[in-house]
Amino acid sequence: MHLSFRRVASSNVRLPLIRRPTHRLNSTSSPPPDPTEPLTPPQLKTLVLSRYAKNGKFSGLVPHVVASPSVLLAACWNLAAPSHPDAAPLPPPSSLLELVSRRFSLSEMGREIAEGRFDVAACLVTMVPSRKKGESLVLPSLKLKVLIEALRMVLEVIYDERFATFAYGGRVGVGRHTAVRYLKTSVQNPSWWFTVKFDRKKFDCVHVSKLCKFIEEKIDDSFFIDLIRRLFECEAVIIELGGCYLGRGFPQESGLCAILINVYFNGLDKEIQDLRLRSNKENLKFESNENVSDSTSNVFYKPVKVYAVRYLDEMLFITSGSKIFTLDLKNNVVKYIEEKLELKVDRVRTAIHSPTMEKIEFLGMELQAVPPSVLHPPLSEKAIRARKKYLRQKEVKALEMKNARERNRKKLGLKILSHVFKKLKRSDGFKFDIQIENEVNEIFRTWADEVVQDFLGSLEEQYNWHRVLSAGNFLSLPRIRDQLPQELVFAYDKFQKQVDKHLSPVKAIKALREEERREEEDREQKYAEMTVHDLTRLCIRVDAPIELVRKAVKMAGFTNNMGRPRPIKLLIALDDADIVKWYAGVGKKWLNYFCCCHNFKMVKTVVTYHMRFSCILTLAEKHDSTKLEAIKHYSKDLKVLDACENEILYFPTEREVKMMGDRNLSDPKPVDGVLTLALIRLAFDCGPLHSCIAHFCDRTDVVFYRIRLLQNRLNVNPLNEEKWISGMGAIHESLNRKCLPVCPAHTDDLYMGKITLQNIDVSSFVDVDNL
């Protein structure tokens, strides 16, 4: 197979020159930014807001903001920035300008943009597929990616604070897990819900024109609008609704897609927000002193509420009202989408469902309304008995340790006391020399309390008491009690009362029965509260589609038809560390994505057992050894050696997997991009003629890898839901069997899923077959 590149022919039509606005701006002019340093987000926001005019629109954004070298350098910084915190580190800002200058001039690029001479079509690369009937893909070069990122940064400053609160995706800190957390914590008592499904269709000229009209409501810059229109015309930016590639890190998705989708649906979001406000005003509100809110009343008030969540083109609407109310809401939403947004809605799949009777798919997860006891079930009788047994064992062990400490202290005290009396017997007439006196004082200062010290006054009395103490129960004799200090007698009587109080059978039985009665009352009260909550409340349970996960595991080759782990022979050509990294990347992607699900334990089982032992079997197959020998060499934690012969763990250990859970809010990308991609190392070396394919990476110690896509290996069309995994996307087929030079640092990031094919320069692909 030969790798083919085809430059898109440059159009003779030039973009119009930008005209300066005739009206004055309402902000004072700020000093020009330093072109050698990338702008920080606050500086970029100040620069964009300085173009805000009195008519409520932004003007002159392209020549004064987008074309600024400092803004373009900030866009380069964002492109070079890793999408994962553990990815390869960024170059310092001083060296970044030098790395960019080796590829193109920012100042010249800024002048071309400001003067309307920037040719978008000349910065495109067409990827020709390896098979004859395949579809080609147009991708932007690194220079055009910088312009697209600069446009995205400007749009983010303008629109991010204007989006609705339930608009997730394409925004900083507002992602999939944030949406799931909102569904689990804020949605209560859902009665009906529905999702809006679109027919699979790309944005055409009608949708692009409508999008430009929406942008013109806030941006009075014809050059900015024409630039976005030109990106769509040249297919540098493609938006396809109803597909499975948005927000997944695929190369066919542009960096502008997410924010442009949010801008396009912003009008619908505002309508839904106004509907929610009207619904809250129309519902009756009860004061705190009314009987309806009284906890002893049998009346439960359930107001009609409307919940909405939108992640790019995925929409979920939930109501707590009647089915007719939900049907009217659905009809209004569909009418607005079809008439004002001119999009085609799949009315068959856009149907109303009961949350308690049917599961609904959203964000690649399964949602269902359940009582609170399902999410937090009470302990069973067996679990309660086991817990009580554990607590008793814990108390007994603590008591044994306490008794052991007391016994050791008693033995030590008796030993010291015996040693002291032996020395006293040897002394002449019980004479108290200074050495013995100091020794006794030091011993009793740490061992005896004040009462015992007063009690043991003189050494002759101590000697007499030592003989009396060995006579038995001396404190019960009246003649002994009269001779004892009153503090010691009182202490003994108090101790005897405590013994009678706690060891008396009648009193102990009464106390035990009282404690059991209180426990029974607490248990009944908790059961009553739980029953009331189950009858009056419904919560959202989020589950991972475990059947689809198992199907994906089987299709990728992790398991056989019996569901048992098997080796993947395609990966045998890789190094041991690369094999473990690929498995670790897929496993961590699954764990990070489904960590917010209720059945997360089942996903852990897939990663801990199926993927771990599939990796072990692949290593054993590579070295022609058995599974036990591979486990003995690599261990179950899959330890591999680095270049310095140090053991490194890439695959998550069993303890790490066990401790994972829903803790952090993030927007993880699904596993699709890592699962369907395999990088096979080539036995090819051309010296330092090629640099790394990652954005602005000039390392020449590269290794050539060939891209192998899962759908091409299996000869399966991803659009065929019967043979492909429902809801799982795929990298475009035109990238199959393409060769790319990658440095060791970015190779690790690609295998581990820390960067995607969106973070590479497609114009740097190498035709190895013709070298």
Side-chain angles (χ1 to χ4, degrees):
M1 296 294 179
H2 294 282
L3 179 64
S4 301
F5 292 97
R6 186 173 70 247
R7 292 278 183 180
V8 178
S10 177
S11 176
N12 295 326
V13 180
R14 295 296 180 183
L15 297 178
L17 294 175
I18 185 67
R19 294 182 178 179
R20 294 181 180 271
T22 56
H23 50 270
R24 291 195 309 173
L25 302 177
N26 60 358
S27 61
T28 59
S29 60
S30 58
D34 186 5
T36 62
E37 293 290 335
L39 287 182
T40 61
Q43 292 175 341
L44 177 63
K45 185 175 182 180
T46 303
L47 182 61
V48 174
L49 294 180
S50 66
R51 309 308 306 170
Y52 187 76
K54 291 183 178 180
N55 60 352
K57 297 183 179 181
F58 294 86
S59 61
L61 291 175
V62 172
H64 298 93
V65 181
V66 178
S68 174
S70 57
V71 176
L72 296 176
L73 187 59
C76 297
W77 179 270
N78 290 345
L79 291 176
S83 58
H84 194 277
D86 297 333
L90 275 172
S94 58
S95 62
L96 178 63
L97 181 60
E98 181 181 355
L99 294 176
V100 176
S101 301
R102 296 176 185 175
R103 291 165 173 82
F104 52 85
S105 174
L106 288 179
S107 58
E108 179 63 26
M109 178 181 175
R111 284 194 296 269
E112 292 178 357
I113 295 173
E115 297 173 3
R117 297 184 292 106
F118 188 85
D119 196 350
V120 175
C123 298
L124 296 176
V125 178
T126 300
M127 307 301 298
V128 180
S130 56
R131 63 188 185 96
K132 295 182 179 180
K133 296 183 180 180
E135 296 181 0
S136 60
L137 177 65
V138 177
L139 294 176
S141 63
L142 185 56
K143 186 176 181 179
L144 184 56
K145 281 187 177 182
V146 174
L147 175 59
I148 292 176
E149 178 63 20
L151 295 175
R152 187 203 64 82
M153 292 161 53
V154 174
L155 289 174
E156 183 181 18
V157 173
I158 296 175
Y159 281 100
D160 190 66
E161 296 181 356
R162 292 177 170 84
F163 290 143
T165 55
F166 54 84
Y168 300 88
R171 304 172 62 186
V172 178
V174 184
R176 291 179 175 88
H177 284 181
T178 313
V180 173
R181 181 72 62 88
Y182 168 76
L183 291 174
K184 294 196 297 185
T185 58
S186 299
V187 178
Q188 294 183 1
N189 302 320
S191 55
W192 302 96
W193 58 19
F194 65 93
T195 57
V196 178
K197 300 294 184 180
F198 296 97
D199 290 339
R200 194 182 184 94
K201 185 179 180 181
K202 295 181 180 180
F203 263 35
D204 53 20
C205 57
V206 177
H207 304 109
V208 174
S209 299
K210 190 170 288 293
L211 174 63
C212 293
K213 289 181 180 179
F214 293 153
I215 298 177
E216 287 175 353
E217 296 177 359
K218 295 304 298 180
I219 299 178
D220 185 13
D221 191 341
S222 60
F223 192 23
F224 192 96
I225 304 300
D226 292 338
L227 194 56
I228 291 180
R229 185 179 284 109
R230 187 66 180 279
L231 291 173
F232 277 98
E233 291 175 356
C234 298
E235 296 185 354
V237 176
I238 300 176
I239 296 179
E240 182 181 358
L241 301 181
C244 296
Y245 78 94
L246 292 176
R248 301 171 186 262
F250 293 157
Q252 58 263 35
E253 179 188 4
S254 173
L256 268 177
C257 291
I259 194 166
L260 291 181
I261 290 175
N262 288 333
V263 172
Y264 197 80
F265 287 107
N266 191 38
L268 176 62
D269 296 342
K270 297 298 182 183
E271 292 291 332
I272 299 299
Q273 200 166 7
D274 295 340
L275 175 64
R276 295 175 62 184
L277 294 176
R278 291 196 303 269
S279 177
N280 292 335
K281 290 181 180 180
E282 292 175 359
N283 291 324
L284 296 176
K285 294 184 178 181
F286 295 94
E287 301 294 335
S288 59
N289 55 358
E290 296 189 29
N291 293 330
V292 170
S293 61
D294 188 6
S295 60
T296 60
S297 175
N298 294 328
V299 179
F300 297 94
Y301 174 60
K302 294 183 179 180
V304 178
K305 291 188 176 182
V306 178
Y307 305 94
V309 176
R310 182 181 64 80
Y311 186 88
L312 299 181
D313 62 335
E314 297 187 55
M315 303 179 189
L316 173 65
F317 296 92
I318 307 173
T319 67
S320 59
S322 62
K323 187 174 183 179
I324 298 178
F325 175 82
T326 310
L327 184 62
D328 293 339
L329 174 63
K330 190 200 77 169
N331 294 334
N332 292 333
V333 170
V334 173
K335 182 179 179 181
Y336 185 95
I337 293 175
E338 292 183 343
E339 293 182 359
K340 295 189 176 182
L341 300 183
E342 300 185 17
L343 298 173
K344 185 62 176 177
V345 177
D346 188 351
R347 293 180 176 267
V348 176
R349 295 190 297 166
T350 306
I352 298 176
H353 302 278
S354 172
T356 57
M357 302 299 295
E358 301 175 81
K359 292 182 179 181
I360 196 168
E361 190 274 333
F362 184 66
L363 296 179
M365 307 175 192
E366 296 176 348
L367 309 181
Q368 188 176 13
V370 295
S373 60
V374 177
L375 297 178
H376 308 285
L379 294 177
S380 61
E381 294 294 335
K382 183 177 180 180
I384 293 175
R385 290 195 300 269
R387 182 175 179 81
K388 288 183 178 180
K389 181 179 179 181
Y390 168 74
L391 294 177
R392 286 196 301 268
Q393 292 177 350
K394 188 176 179 180
E395 293 177 357
V396 169
K397 187 175 181 180
L399 184 60
E400 289 178 353
M401 293 180 65
K402 182 180 178 181
N403 293 338
R405 289 192 298 268
E406 294 291 341
R407 183 172 60 253
N408 294 335
R409 283 196 295 265
K410 181 179 178 181
K411 289 182 178 179
L412 179 61
L414 292 176
K415 187 175 181 180
I416 293 174
L417 191 61
S418 176
H419 175 70
V420 170
F421 279 108
K422 285 182 179 179
K423 286 199 172 187
L424 288 176
K425 287 181 179 180
R426 295 173 184 175
S427 62
D428 187 9
F430 299 105
K431 299 298 181 180
F432 211 39
D433 59 356
I434 299 177
Q435 182 179 1
I436 298 178
E437 183 179 3
N438 293 336
E439 185 177 355
V440 172
N441 291 336
E442 182 67 23
I443 293 173
F444 282 96
R445 187 179 297 112
T446 58
W447 178 72
D449 54 10
E450 296 180 357
V451 177
V452 176
Q453 289 180 1
D454 294 337
F455 163 60
L456 301 177
S458 62
L459 292 179
E460 291 190 41
E461 291 178 353
Q462 290 177 11
Y463 182 73
N464 294 331
W465 280 114
H466 181 264
R467 291 184 301 169
V468 175
L469 289 175
S470 59
N473 191 2
F474 62 96
L475 290 179
S476 61
L477 302 176
R479 60 185 182 84
I480 300 298
R481 294 174 63 90
D482 295 339
Q483 301 181 28
L484 289 173
Q486 293 297 323
E487 293 84 354
L488 183 60
V489 175
F490 291 157
Y492 174 77
D493 294 340
K494 185 177 180 181
F495 172 76
Q496 191 63 37
K497 290 181 180 179
Q498 294 294 328
V499 171
D500 296 338
K501 177 181 178 181
H502 293 284
L503 298 183
S504 178
V506 177
K507 295 181 180 181
I509 292 175
K510 288 183 178 180
L512 183 61
R513 289 178 179 176
E514 182 67 20
E515 184 178 358
E516 292 179 353
R517 185 183 63 82
R518 286 196 303 266
E519 291 180 356
E520 185 68 22
E521 291 179 355
D522 294 342
R523 193 181 304 111
E524 291 179 357
Q525 183 178 0
K526 291 180 180 179
Y527 179 78
E529 293 177 355
M530 183 181 63
T531 304
V532 172
H533 289 168
D534 287 348
L535 294 175
T536 58
R537 291 180 56 188
L538 287 175
C539 302
I540 301 297
R541 183 182 66 185
V542 182
D543 287 336
I546 197 63
E547 293 299 328
L548 295 180
V549 171
R550 289 172 178 168
K551 185 178 179 181
V553 167
K554 180 181 178 181
M555 186 179 68
F558 295 113
T559 59
N560 54 19
N561 294 330
M562 300 292 292
R564 296 178 180 177
R566 61 178 293 270
I568 300 179
K569 297 184 179 180
L570 178 66
L571 304 177
I572 294 178
L574 299 177
D575 295 337
D576 295 351
D578 291 342
I579 294 175
V580 177
K581 290 173 190 175
W582 186 80
Y583 276 95
V586 177
K588 287 185 177 180
K589 282 286 185 180
W590 254 323
L591 293 174
N592 293 333
Y593 191 81
F594 292 118
C595 67
C596 59
C597 296
H598 185 257
N599 60 344
F600 186 43
K601 290 184 178 180
M602 305 184 74
V603 182
K604 292 181 179 180
T605 302
V606 171
V607 176
T608 304
Y609 172 65
H610 295 90
M611 296 187 61
R612 187 186 303 275
F613 280 92
S614 176
C615 182
I616 292 174
L617 292 174
T618 302
L619 294 171
E621 183 80 11
K622 175 185 176 181
H623 297 285
D624 195 17
S625 61
T626 63
K627 181 179 70 172
L628 295 179
E629 292 175 348
I631 293 176
K632 184 178 180 181
H633 180 76
Y634 299 99
S635 76
K636 285 188 177 181
D637 294 333
L638 296 173
K639 299 178 182 178
V640 292
L641 301 178
D642 60 358
C644 300
E645 299 297 328
N646 297 323
E647 290 186 350
I648 301 180
L649 290 175
Y650 295 104
F651 201 90
T653 62
E654 295 182 355
R655 180 176 180 83
E656 291 175 352
V657 174
K658 185 178 181 181
M659 298 300 294
M660 285 183 178
D662 185 11
R663 296 180 181 178
N664 300 324
L665 292 176
S666 60
D667 188 15
K669 290 181 173 59
V671 73
D672 309 358
V674 182
L675 183 64
T676 59
L677 172 67
L679 297 177
I680 306 303
R681 183 170 180 173
L682 302 180
F684 176 79
D685 186 12
C686 63
L689 299 178
H690 299 274
S691 60
C692 181
I693 200 171
H695 291 161
F696 304 109
C697 181
D698 273 4
R699 292 184 59 174
T700 57
D701 54 335
V702 297
V703 178
F704 285 86
Y705 291 87
R706 188 184 296 275
I707 297 176
R708 297 294 301 273
L709 299 181
L710 180 63
Q711 66 267 25
N712 293 83
R713 289 193 286 119
L714 301 178
N715 195 18
V716 176
N717 186 5
L719 300 180
N720 188 353
E721 295 185 358
E722 295 181 359
K723 296 183 179 180
W724 194 252
I725 308 300
S726 177
M728 189 175 78
I731 300 173
H732 198 274
E733 62 172 347
S734 62
L735 296 178
N736 187 49
R737 301 189 65 82
K738 299 297 186 292
C739 299
L740 60 159
V742 192
C743 67
H746 289 104
T747 301
D748 296 349
D749 295 342
L750 277 173
Y751 276 123
M752 300 290 290
K754 298 175 183 178
I755 62 175
T756 63
L757 294 183
Q758 276 186 333
N759 305 107
I760 65 174
D761 182 11
V762 296
S763 61
S764 299
F765 281 144
V766 179
D767 191 355
V768 177
D769 299 328
N770 293 333
L771 291 179

